[in-house]
């Protein structure tokens, strides 16, 4: 699943043969290469790598305890682009982390965290630490496979979380309530137009582009964007090739 290996789903899986089967998945998915069923967004290596790539190190971040030695060791690999203003370049930098899988629910978390970091780097007036904690808290509740099983891509929901935090939206907020939903609607419309099957790299890029446009049109920061081709084609068994706007030969 993580590195583009084939999946077996649902009733085809004998749960007794897998190493970990978390209950939050909408339907079981087993990687036929590793024989592991897991939720990558709960992987400590992925979380710590993401923190280092964004150079975000408050001691209590995510309320996850790591040993001092582990933290210092991983800090040696911090990215040089932690002040990157272009959210797509920052996203690509995070995608290069070895703990980030080809597909998986970690993308649901990465999208809002990258957007918040890029907004901060562009001078956005946000309570960055508080927003990052809350974004992680909300996005980590999104299980894998929601795109196919719920009809709502997790990357789109992650962008909605970003907008909700930025606008202070809540179920009872009359003015802010519709705006994050409009953003998510625009993202889902683009994803549906492109078509399936899933690709977490493609959907995350679309979500970041639309969130950046939304931010610009609503009077927020004007974050720079650039068109970049995809380098993950060989890792994605379900790549749609020329039908993808980011495909490059």
């Amino acid at each position: 699943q993580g590195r583009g290996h084939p999946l077996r789903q649902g009733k085809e899986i004998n749960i007794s043969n897998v190493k970990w089967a978390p209950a939050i998945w909408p339907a079981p998915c087993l990687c036929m290469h590793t024989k592991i069923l897991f939720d990558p967004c709960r992987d400590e290596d992925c979380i710590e790598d993401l923190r280092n790539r964004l150079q975000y190190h408050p001691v209590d971040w995510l309320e996850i305890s790591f040993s001092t030695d582990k933290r210092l060791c991983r800090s040696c690999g911090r990215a040089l682009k932690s002040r990157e203003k272009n959210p797509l370049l920052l996203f690509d930098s995070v995608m290069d982390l070895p703990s980030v899988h080809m597909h998986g629910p970690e993308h649901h978390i990465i999208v809002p965290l990258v957007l918040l970091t890029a907004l901060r780097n562009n001078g956005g007036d946000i309570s960055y630490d508080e927003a990052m904690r809350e974004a992680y808290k909300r996005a980590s509740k999104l299980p894998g496979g929601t795109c196919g099983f719920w009809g709502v891509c997790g990357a789109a929901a992650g962008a909605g979380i970003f907008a909700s935090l930025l606008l202070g939206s809540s179920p009872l907020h009359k003015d802010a309530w519709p705006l994050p939903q409009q953003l998510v609607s625009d993202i889902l419309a683009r994803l549906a137009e492109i078509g399936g099957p899933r690709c977490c790299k493609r959907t995350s890029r679309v979500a970041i582009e639309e969130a950046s446009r939304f931010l610009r049109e609503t009077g927020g920061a004007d974050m720079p964007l650039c068109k970049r081709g995809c380098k993950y084609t060989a890792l994605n068994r379900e790549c749609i090739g020329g039908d993808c706007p980011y495909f490059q030969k």
Side-chain angles (χ1 to χ4, degrees):
Q1 191 273 346
R3 301 301 178 190
H5 299 300
L7 293 175
R8 182 171 293 174
Q9 296 182 332
K11 296 180 180 179
E12 299 175 346
I13 299 176
N14 181 354
I15 296 297
S16 64
N17 293 332
V18 305
K19 298 181 181 179
W20 181 34
I24 67 168
W25 278 65
C29 293
L30 172 67
C31 175
M32 300 307 297
H33 176 72
T34 63
K35 304 301 181 184
I36 296 176
L37 178 62
F38 64 100
D39 186 350
C41 70
R42 294 172 181 259
D43 187 300
E44 287 191 357
D45 286 343
C46 180
I47 294 169
E48 183 72 350
D49 281 347
L50 178 57
R51 293 172 62 182
N52 290 329
R53 185 52 55 102
L54 299 179
Q55 285 198 7
Y56 185 59
H57 286 274
V59 174
D60 64 343
W61 193 64
L62 309 187
E63 299 180 353
I64 292 176
S65 298
F66 296 97
S67 70
T68 301
D69 290 341
K70 182 176 181 181
R71 184 182 297 114
L72 291 176
C73 178
R74 290 192 176 277
S75 294
C76 295
R78 289 180 180 177
L80 298 177
K81 294 182 178 179
S82 63
R83 294 291 170 180
E84 174 60 60
K85 295 183 177 181
N86 186 319
L88 289 176
L89 295 181
L90 186 57
F91 173 77
D92 282 348
S93 177
V94 172
M95 292 301 99
D96 288 338
L97 294 170
S99 56
V100 175
H101 301 79
M102 178 65 216
H103 309 291
E106 65 263 47
H107 294 79
H108 309 167
I109 300 172
I110 289 170
V111 167
L113 298 193
V114 161
L115 287 166
L116 285 168
T117 300
L119 177 59
R120 178 203 63 183
N121 294 348
N122 280 278
D125 184 15
I126 56 172
S127 299
Y128 181 67
D129 288 355
E130 180 182 352
M132 290 285 277
R133 291 189 187 95
E134 184 62 23
Y136 175 84
K137 178 181 178 182
R138 297 182 190 183
S140 62
K141 295 178 181 178
L142 292 166
T146 58
C147 56
F149 296 121
W150 292 2
V152 180
C153 171
I161 290 170
F162 163 74
S164 296
L165 288 169
L166 196 61
L167 297 170
S169 178
S170 76
L172 302 180
H173 198 303
K174 183 178 186 301
D175 296 326
W177 184 85
L179 298 178
Q181 299 196 65
Q182 183 61 59
L183 169 60
V184 173
S185 174
D186 291 342
I187 295 170
L188 294 177
R190 273 195 65 187
L191 297 182
E193 182 179 4
I194 294 170
R198 60 87 191 265
C199 173
C200 291
K201 302 296 187 277
R202 179 180 72 239
T203 56
S204 295
R205 289 180 179 183
V206 169
I208 290 171
E209 287 179 356
E210 289 298 315
S212 300
R213 176 192 57 77
F214 169 85
L215 190 62
R216 182 172 60 254
E217 293 179 353
T218 55
D222 188 3
M223 298 195 293
L225 294 174
C226 64
K227 290 292 184 180
R228 290 172 63 85
C230 179
K231 58 183 179 181
Y232 299 101
T233 297
L235 297 175
N236 185 7
R237 289 175 177 267
E238 296 86 34
C239 178
I240 60 176
D243 289 334
C244 174
Y246 309 107
F247 177 74
Q248 62 178 6
K249 295 181 179 180

